[in-house]
Amino acid sequence: PQQGHGCRTTSQHEPQALFQPEVQRDLLDRAGEHGALLREVRRVAALVREVDARLADLRERARARGSRIEILQYRLAEFDQVRPEPGDEERLRGIRERLRHAEEIGHGIEAAIEAIYEGDDAAHDRIHGAARRIRTLGGHDEVFVELAERLDDLRAQIVEITADLRSEAEALAPDPARLEQVEERLDALERLRRRFDGAPTEDIIASAEAMRRELEELSEQGEEEAGLAVELEAQLEAYARAAEKLHQARERAAEALADSVSDLLAGLAMEKARVEIDVVYEPPSGQADGALPAGRDRVEFLLRANPGEPARPLRKVASGGELSRVMLALDIALEGRLPRRTLLFDEVDQGLGGEAADRLAAFLERVARSHQVISITHLPQVAARASRHIYVTKKVRSGRTVAVVRSLDDEQQRIEELARMIGGRMVTDTARRHAEAMRAACTTSGAAE
């Protein structure tokens, strides 16, 4: 392993997971058991994104809808200006024809009235005389009476026809203004027909009805957009409430976790050190992209190594030993609330000895119950509690320095190396007995894998 500090498999100067704000926030949420609050924030944030996406889609379509609405309104205005009815053109053409030839038609009507009713030898008078003569024959046969009545009926029809002809003559008086109106109406109907590709009047009316239905549907879509905008505003307010509630819980958890870690650090020869956790709330922007699934808090872990010194972010802590102990204390404080993983500690025992080294070893053993712990150490108190040992040394071969890694699978090998750590280069029987006692004490306490 390369020299460095903390829990990692990277070199000393590379970023570590604990330095990442989202990791620190996650640790705080695990400490405070904020699962339900986080789920609520994520749920509302998802709703915000969903409504915002639907609203954006509607607004995108609204641009095309606006153009379509303008076209429909323009064409319906043309239709409503004319308002054609079925049979309009045929009826108006007939009126135009009569108005154009009013004088000719009037003369014809006068001649007809003269012939059937008003003339000296009018049909009405001749039929009347014929009916009288036929009726005188009724004494000879009843059939002549019936025929006379039929002639009277015919005379009555002539009277009615004459009246109708007179009405038509009065209606057909030359009227240039009326003729102009009819011509203009026919021109308007023709222009409208061309706008509708020469369709019959019945089809034009049907098309206008279809356009009105489409315009109504498009207007309803505009109402839907307004409704979604109101819904988005409501969801943003719900998100702000959920995020604020999560923030308050995080503030409480930050104080408790900082106190717990600081107390644990005191047992690792950092009696004066204090861990602080800043939780900075950034109010939502009121826009959908501000509804972050993890809330609106920026979480920063800080370490005040000694009284009178400023609290510094963990990412700026230079001491590998201090950082490693903070991480170890966090693992203990969050015992049972972190996923199982591999932890690599180097320099965690830096500057420790005696009782502090014993406490460190006990802490490492405790963490190893939940995680795989690898510790690079020069302290026999720490090494004695391990369940597996790997011995690393350096040798020169063919002019090159190489690292030799050897697994100590035999218990006697482990005791011999522990004795070497206790006594130095010269391993004495006293050192061996001390090593045996340390191993015996540790194995009875149950070292974790």
Side-chain angles (χ1 to χ4, degrees), residues 179-327:
L179 178 59
E180 183 178 359
Q181 289 177 350
V182 171
E183 293 283 10
E184 289 177 353
R185 175 70 175 170
L186 284 170
D187 288 343
L189 288 170
E190 181 60 27
R191 287 194 301 273
L192 185 66
R193 183 191 299 280
R194 288 197 297 270
R195 293 290 294 167
F196 283 82
D197 301 324
T201 302
E202 290 77 4
D203 292 350
I204 294 174
I205 295 171
S207 295
E209 291 174 355
M211 285 190 292
R212 290 188 198 283
R213 289 193 298 270
E214 184 182 355
L215 185 60
E216 183 178 351
E217 291 172 359
L218 292 173
S219 300
E220 289 174 355
Q221 289 179 10
E223 295 173 3
E224 182 183 359
E225 180 181 332
L228 278 177
V230 172
E231 183 180 352
L232 177 60
E233 186 66 26
Q235 295 297 348
L236 285 170
E237 292 175 359
Y239 175 83
R241 291 192 297 270
E244 173 64 25
K245 190 174 181 180
L246 177 60
H247 166 69
Q248 293 173 1
R250 281 171 170 165
E251 283 192 322
R252 293 190 295 270
E255 184 177 356
L257 180 59
D259 289 343
S260 177
V261 173
S262 296
D263 290 343
L264 289 166
L265 287 177
L268 293 172
M270 295 178 66
E271 294 85 355
K272 304 299 182 180
R274 289 291 302 173
V275 166
E276 299 177 7
I277 302 176
D278 280 352
V279 181
V280 180
Y281 183 69
E282 298 177 352
S285 62
Q287 302 298 321
D289 56 5
L292 303 178
R296 298 289 304 176
D297 293 308
R298 178 172 53 80
V299 176
E300 179 92 71
F301 285 27
L302 305 101
L303 176 66
R304 188 188 306 274
N306 297 292
E309 294 181 359
R312 304 173 62 195
L314 289 184
R315 53 190 165 81
K316 294 184 179 180
V317 173
S319 169
E322 289 177 348
L323 183 57
S324 293
R325 287 170 217 169
V326 171
M327 297 178 70

Side-chain angles (χ1 to χ4, degrees), residues 60-123:
E60 179 66 27
R61 286 188 285 152
R63 284 188 278 273
R65 187 178 73 237
S67 298
R68 180 60 179 165
I69 287 175
E70 288 181 4
I71 293 173
L72 290 174
Q73 289 175 335
Y74 179 77
R75 299 198 69 182
L76 283 172
E78 288 183 319
F79 176 86
D80 291 338
Q81 189 175 5
V82 179
R83 290 194 174 278
E85 297 290 342
D88 258 3
E89 289 182 283
E90 292 77 5
R91 178 179 61 81
L92 289 170
R93 287 193 185 100
I95 293 174
R96 182 179 63 182
E97 184 69 16
R98 290 154 63 93
L99 288 172
R100 282 177 174 176
H101 302 87
E103 186 175 352
E104 178 184 348
I105 294 172
H107 290 319
I109 290 174
E110 290 175 0
I113 292 174
E114 181 76 15
I116 65 175
Y117 191 76
E118 292 181 349
D120 294 338
D121 195 24

Side-chain angles (χ1 to χ4, degrees), residues 377-396:
T377 183
H378 296 284
L379 290 180
Q381 294 97 320
V382 175
R385 289 179 179 262
S387 59
R388 296 190 64 185
H389 295 79
I390 296 174
Y391 177 70
V392 182
T393 186
K394 292 181 180 179
K395 292 186 178 180
V396 178

Side-chain angles (χ1 to χ4, degrees), residues 380-420:
Q381 294 97 320
V382 175
R385 289 179 179 262
S387 59
R388 296 190 64 185
H389 295 79
I390 296 174
Y391 177 70
V392 182
T393 186
K394 292 181 180 179
K395 292 186 178 180
V396 178
R397 292 179 180 174
S398 302
R400 295 184 60 190
T401 300
V402 295
V404 178
V405 179
R406 179 164 57 93
S407 176
L408 304 180
D409 299 324
D410 182 74
E411 182 65 18
Q412 192 57 43
Q413 291 177 327
R414 297 171 182 172
I415 292 173
E416 191 71 18
E417 290 303 328
L418 279 176
R420 192 185 305 279

